[in-house]
């Protein structure tokens, strides 16, 4: 454990011992499993102060642990994504050669200009088809109704009720609905 006296449970490095090259904490502060003060030696104020300090330390430790785990997974996902994007880029550039091959193949049975025109028109129709399918998918996007309903419900439950200035129009206004 990295508890020091009068430092809110943290040492000079913020309660974390950082590896020199990784940037990810190798140890995380934790709440001690034994009593900080002997029973009966502290007042109620000291007990509340200790409890608050321990809860604060626990929350910070959990956040640091989650941050360390997520950071490692994000790095792996980023590396995989970069390789996937590179593969798609190579595939995209290779489609030029496929369409050129298709035009040359059609050139065997018809004039060259007609073969390249047929390939061009086929590519344009395919692009229009994909754009139309994409438009239909985007048009189906709706406002997050469950989230808006839960925010309205939270407004009535939380202290202050409707005095917080939240309005349902603001929640759906960003989507233009």
């Amino acid at each position: 454990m990295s508890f020091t006296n009068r430092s809110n449970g943290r040492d000079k490095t913020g309660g974390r011992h950082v590896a020199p090259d990784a940037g990810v904490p190798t140890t995380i502060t934790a709440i001690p499993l034994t009593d900080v003060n002997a029973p009966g030696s502290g007042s109620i104020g000291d007990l509340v102060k200790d409890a608050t300090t321990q809860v604060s330390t626990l929350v910070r430790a959990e956040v640091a642990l989650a941050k360390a785990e997520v950071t490692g997974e994000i790095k792996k996902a980023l590396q995989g994504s970069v390789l996937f994007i590179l593969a798609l880029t190579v595939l995209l550039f290779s489609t030029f050669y496929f369409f050129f091959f298709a035009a040359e193949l059609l050139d065997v049975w018809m004039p060259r200009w007609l073969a390249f025109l047929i390939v061009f028109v086929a590519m344009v129709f395919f692009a229009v088809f994909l754009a139309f399918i994409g438009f239909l998918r985007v048009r189906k996007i709706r406002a997050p109704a469950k989230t808006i309903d839960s925010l309205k419900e939270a407004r009535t439950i939380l202290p202050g009720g409707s005095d917080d200035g939240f309005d349902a129009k603001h929640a759906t206004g960003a989507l233009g609905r």
Side-chain angles (χ1 to χ4, degrees), residues 34-113:
T34 60
D35 289 337
V36 176
N37 296 325
S41 66
S43 67
I44 298 232
D46 290 338
L47 293 175
V48 169
K49 180 180 143 194
D50 289 343
T52 304
T53 301
Q54 290 178 0
V55 168
S56 174
T57 303
L58 176 64
V59 168
R60 287 182 182 147
E62 291 297 326
V63 168
L65 177 63
K67 185 178 176 183
E69 288 177 343
V70 169
T71 301
E73 294 303 314
I74 287 176
K75 285 181 182 179
K76 290 178 192 174
L78 183 62
Q79 290 171 349
S81 298
V82 167
L83 293 175
F84 187 68
I85 289 171
L86 288 174
L88 285 177
T89 303
V90 170
L91 180 66
L92 178 69
F93 286 134
S94 67
T95 57
F96 169 78
Y97 295 105
F98 171 76
F99 291 120
F100 198 87
F101 162 76
E104 289 293 332
L105 185 65
L106 290 175
D107 183 32
V108 173
W109 295 288
M110 59 188 67
R112 186 175 180 88
W113 66 268

Side-chain angles (χ1 to χ4, degrees), residues 12-28:
K12 292 179 185 176
T13 62
R16 298 179 301 270
H17 301 287
V18 180
D21 57 347
V24 178
T26 56
T27 61
I28 299 174

Side-chain angles (χ1 to χ4, degrees), residues 6 9 23 31 40 51 67 89 108 111 115 122 129-130 162 170:
R6 303 266 188 224
I31 293 180
K67 185 178 176 183
T89 303
V108 173
F129 172 74
L130 291 177
S162 62
H170 293 103

